[in-house]
Amino acid sequence: MPVPTSVETLLSSQNITYDLASTAFEGEDPLIWHQQHLRQQGAARSILLQDDIGRVQVVLGADRLLDLTAVNRHLNRELRAADASALQQFCEANQFQSVPALPQVAGLLTLVDEQLLERDSLLLDSGDDTQLIRVHGNEFQQILKDAVVCQLSAPLAPLEADDSGADDLAQIEGAISNFTQLRIRQRLEETLELPPLSDTAQRIIKLRVDPNADISDLAQIVETDPSLAAQVVSWAASPYYSAPGKIKSIHDAIVRVLGFDMVLNLALGLALGKTLHLPKDGPSGELPYWQQAVYMAATIEGLVTAIPRESRPSFGMAYLTGLLHNFGALIMAEVFPPYYAQFCRLSEANPHVTPQTIERHILNMSRDQIASKLMELWSMPEEVVTGLRHQSNPNYHGENAIYAKLVYLARMLLRQHNIGTGPCESIPDSLLDELQLTRAKAEATVANVIESSDDLEHIASALNQN
């Protein structure tokens, strides 16, 4: 029996080469064979979810457990599995025996588990209970352009391990401890009463993981948000970048001045910054949020450029981390207004103490902790999560430590010019050595930024007004 017509049409339209991996053995129940074979082969399968808004398709490995909480958090919906009658109706209407593991094969919004992108080749549920489709991993990614790729699952194998020899009491106590931590994590966004991510931010995050994204895709997203479009054009047209001629469009800003990677991360940083209100209060003498962000991003931009080419971290990740370095302050001001006011007064009275120390005194947590956790929940890159979490620790040596060290170095360099808050601290030679920077290059970088302060403050002023 051939694969369903709509599946064959989709694969052909995308020029996807595929073959039929196997067929059911004679005498076997096709449904039982189908379920067992999907699991044994680690094939991709689809699950149909629905709520009052409509239906959503999710594609993940048959050897994975779907995390429904992650799906609903990502879409800000209350989806649940479609019941048997709804699933049967859907399949009959589309001439399927099961839901094919192909994005939008029936025109539905589709979420794809990012774990599938790690595979060199994939077996896919074809929509026919007797057959699986085998495609190359790169070709599978070609059909993800309109799908949302994110982390949606957990591996089944550890959950199904034989625990007959376990110490039950120790396991129960450990489970209670883990459950407490899990509840804290799952309720963080709800407890903080933060607004959901804007559509623009969600679309940019989706674009980040699209291997086929190009300039036109990015320009289209930015152009649909007039405020963001104006900010990006203003950024590119700033004398700071000395772009020849007039910036006529977002496409022009990307191609001639800023580049795809920078505009992608700049747009994401600006979109996230607009998620929360700018605080009306603040420690006396502290620069406004966007002015701090612009100075930090520019300094990190210069530092990364000064690092030997073969040792440079991702420019886009470093730039985005710098732009968002003080995002925790926005969260503190939005969620804990009375405590933030108390923080401001204590910060003014204790200029020798870091903001994080004062925050732990008041709330038993720091802005770095809360910002990094929220970024993690929003599926932001690990580089940014680590950079924000450990930006105050020059001795951190975990994975992606370079991003945290760059933020720390940039903050200390700017503090030497009375930009930022907290004590001025000496920059250890060991930090510069780790980043493969000389003290002279680091100081020259921040000097160039200070020399361009009028241009940078012009950019920041425009952001503060939006």
Side-chain angles (χ1 to χ4, degrees):
M1 180 177 179
V3 298
T5 302
S6 57
V7 171
E8 188 173 14
T9 300
L10 175 62
L11 293 170
S12 298
S13 68
Q14 298 286 335
N15 296 318
I16 303 298
T17 303
Y18 70 96
D19 59 85
L20 300 180
S22 55
T23 58
F25 295 105
E26 185 174 348
E28 284 189 302
D29 184 302
L31 181 58
I32 294 176
W33 175 89
H34 182 71
Q35 295 297 326
Q36 290 181 343
H37 210 61
L38 282 176
R39 172 66 190 279
Q40 291 168 1
Q41 298 294 323
R45 58 171 302 196
S46 272
I47 297 176
L48 193 65
L49 307 177
Q50 65 182 24
D51 61 7
D52 293 338
I53 299 175
R55 290 171 174 166
V56 172
Q57 177 187 356
V58 178
V59 180
L60 73 161
D63 56 353
R64 311 284 295 185
L65 175 72
L66 176 64
D67 184 352
L68 191 58
T69 301
V71 174
N72 285 325
R73 184 172 60 235
H74 195 87
L75 297 180
N76 195 28
R77 291 173 64 171
E78 297 182 357
L79 292 156
R80 57 189 301 175
D83 60 32
S85 61
L87 183 59
Q88 181 179 358
Q89 182 184 32
F90 174 83
C91 289
E92 289 177 351
N94 292 280
Q95 298 183 332
F96 300 146
Q97 293 177 341
S98 57
V99 184
L102 291 166
Q104 297 192 317
V105 69
L108 298 178
L109 168 64
T110 306
L111 274 64
V112 176
D113 188 15
E114 65 181 18
Q115 185 268 342
L116 291 176
L117 274 62
E118 301 173 2
R119 305 186 183 186
D120 294 330
S121 66
L122 295 97
L123 285 172
L124 310 176
D125 187 335
S126 69
D128 178 341
D129 282 348
T130 65
Q131 298 178 115
L132 300 177
I133 295 172
R134 187 187 302 276
V135 298
H136 193 276
N138 290 337
E139 293 195 314
F140 179 73
Q141 293 184 28
Q142 291 180 26
I143 56 179
L144 301 185
K145 184 174 182 180
D146 295 319
V148 178
V149 180
C150 49
Q151 185 174 348
L152 299 172
S153 70
L156 281 173
L159 302 176
E160 297 174 338
D162 180 13
D163 62 355
S164 59
D167 181 333
D168 287 344
L169 180 58
Q171 191 165 341
I172 291 170
E173 290 175 343
I176 292 172
S177 176
N178 290 338
F179 178 68
T180 301
Q181 295 300 317
L182 182 63
R183 290 189 62 188
I184 291 171
R185 174 184 172 86
Q186 290 178 338
R187 291 181 58 98
L188 180 58
E189 287 177 294
E190 175 187 347
T191 303
L192 294 181
E193 297 181 353
L194 289 168
L197 278 178
S198 67
D199 290 340
T200 299
Q202 292 185 50
R203 292 176 67 192
I204 297 172
I205 290 174
K206 172 185 169 183
L207 191 68
R208 285 194 55 83
V209 297
D210 183 351
N212 301 310
D214 57 25
I215 291 173
S216 60
D217 296 323
L218 177 57
Q220 183 180 22
I221 292 175
V222 175
E223 287 167 352
T224 58
D225 187 326
S227 173
L228 179 58
Q231 290 162 6
V232 171
V233 169
S234 174
W235 205 289
S238 166
Y240 182 74
Y241 288 102
S242 303
K246 185 177 181 180
I247 305 301
K248 300 178 181 179
S249 65
I250 296 298
H251 190 276
D252 199 25
I254 299 172
V255 174
R256 285 205 302 118
V257 187
L258 301 175
F260 180 89
D261 198 34
M262 182 171 178
V263 171
L264 178 70
N265 289 287
L266 171 61
L268 181 54
L270 297 178
L272 290 181
K274 299 301 181 184
T275 303
L276 306 177
H277 299 98
L278 295 178
K280 296 179 180 179
D281 196 2
S284 177
E286 183 177 69
L287 293 179
Y289 174 82
W290 283 116
Q291 196 167 339
Q292 291 188 55
V294 168
Y295 272 110
M296 179 65 73
T299 302
I300 287 182
E301 179 183 11
L303 290 173
V304 172
T305 302
I307 294 174
R309 186 177 301 274
E310 65 275 8
S311 301
R312 289 175 190 168
S314 164
F315 174 82
M317 290 294 97
Y319 192 88
L320 180 58
T321 305
L323 201 63
L324 294 173
H325 82 283
N326 206 30
F327 194 76
L330 289 189
I331 302 174
M332 302 291 278
E334 177 106 1
V335 179
F336 308 111
Y339 297 100
Y340 184 71
Q342 185 182 356
F343 160 79
C344 293
R345 305 295 82 81
L346 283 174
S347 182
E348 293 164 354
N350 296 275
H352 61 294
V353 177
T354 66
Q356 291 79 5
T357 300
I358 296 172
E359 288 155 359
R360 283 191 287 268
H361 169 73
I362 298 172
L363 289 170
N364 201 32
M365 64 180 175
S366 72
R367 65 182 63 184
D368 300 344
Q369 290 175 289
I370 199 170
S372 63
K373 184 56 66 177
L374 187 58
M375 292 296 163
E376 184 179 308
L377 292 172
W378 280 348
S379 301
M380 292 291 285
E382 283 297 321
E383 295 90 336
V384 175
V385 174
T386 299
L388 296 186
R389 176 64 183 88
H390 300 286
Q391 62 177 291
S392 300
N393 180 10
N395 299 314
Y396 177 70
H397 293 292
E399 189 174 359
N400 298 314
I402 191 170
Y403 299 95
K405 292 177 186 294
L406 279 167
V407 177
Y408 178 86
L409 175 58
R411 285 176 51 225
M412 292 303 104
L413 289 168
L414 289 169
R415 281 301 295 129
Q416 293 176 1
H417 294 269
N418 296 317
I419 295 174
T421 55
C424 287
E425 299 177 3
S426 61
I427 298 171
D429 291 333
S430 58
L431 175 62
L432 294 168
D433 291 342
E434 287 182 64
L435 295 174
Q436 299 185 44
L437 289 168
T438 64
R439 192 171 297 274
K441 283 187 177 181
E443 291 175 349
T445 294
V446 75
N448 290 335
V449 170
I450 299 303
E451 187 177 339
S452 304
S453 59
D454 289 345
D455 298 334
L456 294 175
E457 288 178 15
H458 176 75
I459 295 174
S461 177
L463 296 173
N464 280 318
Q465 294 173 8
N466 285 286

